[in-house]
Amino acid sequence: EKENMWKTLSEDPLILICAYCDLNDVMSLRCTSSFFRNAARKELKFRSVLHFSAFAGRYLSKKSPNGTKRDYDDNMVSQVWRKDTQEECVNAILDDISKEHRCQHMDFSNLSRIRQSKLSQNLVRSLFVLDLSNCKLMDLQVLVSLPTGSNFPLRELYLTGCRQLQGSHISSMTRFFPKLRVLHLSGCSQTIDDSTITRICNQSKELESLHLMG
């Protein structure tokens, strides 16, 4: 039996390896051994930016005639996730950082397969940028049901294509983000009327950019 050489390494070089990987590769490393799984959990807590969009399109779409795998974006790849694991991968990482993290920017854009996420109030509390563009199925109740009197530092919120949100939901959530400067609502405009826009502007005194096209 071959000796497991990973056991001879300290955890520091494994954490450094994880730091150079996007979240898609981090999830692959987590599957290789408990050593990488533990290192990945520790490294993720130090990231200020988490691009969950790395999972977008990373599930099998089709196979070419010679058997080569292609992902949803039709790129040739050696490994892809099953369609039902996009949500599982995102929530595994959110679980890892739920109690301790330094993240200020989360990008969930184009994760159109996700319905339930473990995005919690504790995670939202420290964010400056939150991108939920085209998360068409995601339950965003966490943003609507924040505690009364909450005052979060969020500066940019991208909700493009989130048609599950009603105008009343959007005006309710913006009152928790008085420092909001950028708000993208393209693709949600069919649920937004003039009174909703007025409430948003009254609640977000520092708002500089409001996108409603589409």
Side-chain angles (χ1 to χ4, degrees):
E1 183 179 353
K2 292 184 178 180
E3 182 181 357
N4 187 342
M5 299 303 295
W6 292 113
K7 293 181 180 180
T8 65
L9 288 176
S10 68
E11 199 171 50
D12 289 345
L14 301 183
I15 291 175
L16 185 60
I17 291 171
C18 293
Y20 283 94
C21 298
D22 68 13
L23 295 187
N24 188 67
D25 291 331
V26 166
M27 285 303 299
S28 297
L29 286 173
R30 282 168 56 110
C31 297
T32 60
S33 70
S34 60
F35 301 102
F36 269 115
R37 184 164 59 251
N38 294 333
R41 285 173 176 167
K42 292 184 178 180
E43 189 277 324
L44 288 171
K45 294 177 181 179
F46 292 98
R47 295 198 184 194
S48 61
V49 179
L50 289 171
H51 287 291
F52 292 98
S53 55
F55 297 117
R58 296 294 298 185
Y59 46 82
L60 190 61
S61 174
K62 60 184 179 181
K63 290 184 178 180
S64 62
N66 62 3
T68 304
K69 290 183 178 180
R70 293 179 179 272
D71 70 5
Y72 184 73
D73 299 318
D74 205 32
N75 300 310
M76 294 178 62
V77 290
S78 58
Q79 177 183 346
V80 290
W81 303 103
R82 300 192 318 272
K83 285 186 177 181
D84 59 344
T85 58
Q86 189 180 86
E87 184 172 304
E88 181 181 325
C89 291
V90 170
N91 285 332
I93 292 173
L94 291 175
D95 262 342
D96 284 348
I97 64 171
S98 61
K99 295 182 179 179
E100 181 185 355
H101 71 97
R102 297 182 183 178
C103 190
Q104 297 179 341
H105 179 164
M106 287 190 183
D107 174 12
F108 295 89
S109 61
N110 300 314
L111 295 180
S112 59
R113 299 273 172 172
I114 292 184
R115 293 181 180 273
Q116 297 291 330
S117 79
K118 294 188 177 181
L119 181 64
S120 65
Q121 294 176 8
N122 184 51
L123 293 172
V124 174
R125 194 178 304 277
S126 64
L127 295 181
F128 287 86
V129 180
L130 178 58
D131 190 344
L132 295 163
S133 300
N134 298 314
C135 293
K136 301 175 183 178
L137 302 178
M138 188 185 292
D139 182 357
L140 300 177
Q141 187 63 29
V142 65
L143 297 179
V144 180
S145 59
L146 294 170
T148 302
S150 298
N151 190 334
F152 294 88
L154 196 69
R155 301 290 198 276
E156 300 179 23
L157 178 59
Y158 300 88
L159 297 171
T160 300
C162 294
R163 298 188 178 186
Q164 71 274 38
L165 289 174
Q166 300 298 314
S168 58
H169 293 153
I170 296 168
S171 60
S172 294
M173 72 174 67
T174 53
R175 73 179 186 270
F176 301 120
F177 309 125
K179 298 185 182 297
L180 200 64
R181 296 177 182 173
V182 177
L183 179 59
H184 281 224
L185 299 173
S186 302
C188 307
S189 56
Q190 72 278 7
T191 67
I192 300 172
D193 55 22
D194 291 343
S195 61
T196 300
I197 296 174
T198 300
R199 286 195 298 272
I200 291 173
C201 293
N202 287 337
Q203 291 164 172
S204 305
K205 300 294 186 181
E206 298 185 22
L207 194 64
E208 299 173 355
S209 177
L210 176 60
H211 290 245
L212 295 169
M213 293 185 62

